[in-house]
Amino acid sequence: MLYPSVDSLKGKIDSKYTLVTLAAKRAREMQESKNELLHKYTSHKNVGKALEEVAAGALSKQVQDASIVYEDEI
C-alpha cells in the first residue's frame, strides 16, 4: 500500500491499532451500503478507500461513551 502513507495517517489517528479497526469497520460499511464520503478515490478496494477517507479528514475516531458496556467486555 503506497497511498496514503502510514505516517500521514498517524497524524490523524493516534494508534495504528485504532486506525486498522476504524478502516475495517468502514470498509464493511462501504461494502454493505455503497456509501462513499469522498468524491474520487485512488484505491479500488474498500479498505484503501477507508484509509483515504481518514487521510482526507472525512472519517475520524468517535469518542466512546464510557457508560456503554458491551457483551464482550463483561
Side-chain angles (χ1 to χ4, degrees):
M1 177 178 69
L2 299 174
Y3 180 79
S5 70
V6 174
D7 294 331
S8 67
L9 295 171
K10 288 279 288 186
K12 306 278 184 179
I13 305 293
D14 56 347
S15 167
K16 63 183 174 183
Y17 302 107
T18 304
L19 176 65
V20 168
T21 304
L22 180 67
K25 286 181 180 180
R26 176 66 181 135
R28 277 189 228 109
E29 181 183 310
M30 290 172 73
Q31 185 174 0
E32 292 172 1
S33 68
K34 305 293 186 205
N35 181 16
E36 297 181 344
L37 298 176
L38 300 180
H39 198 49
K40 184 177 179 183
Y41 294 93
T42 303
S43 181
H44 299 288
K45 296 183 179 182
N46 289 334
V47 173
K49 289 179 182 181
L51 292 173
E52 288 181 40
E53 290 176 354
V54 171
L59 184 64
S60 62
K61 179 182 164 187
Q62 294 179 349
V63 179
Q64 184 177 353
D65 187 359
S67 66
I68 298 173
V69 178
Y70 296 99
E71 288 182 23
D72 62 344
E73 297 177 334
I74 298 175

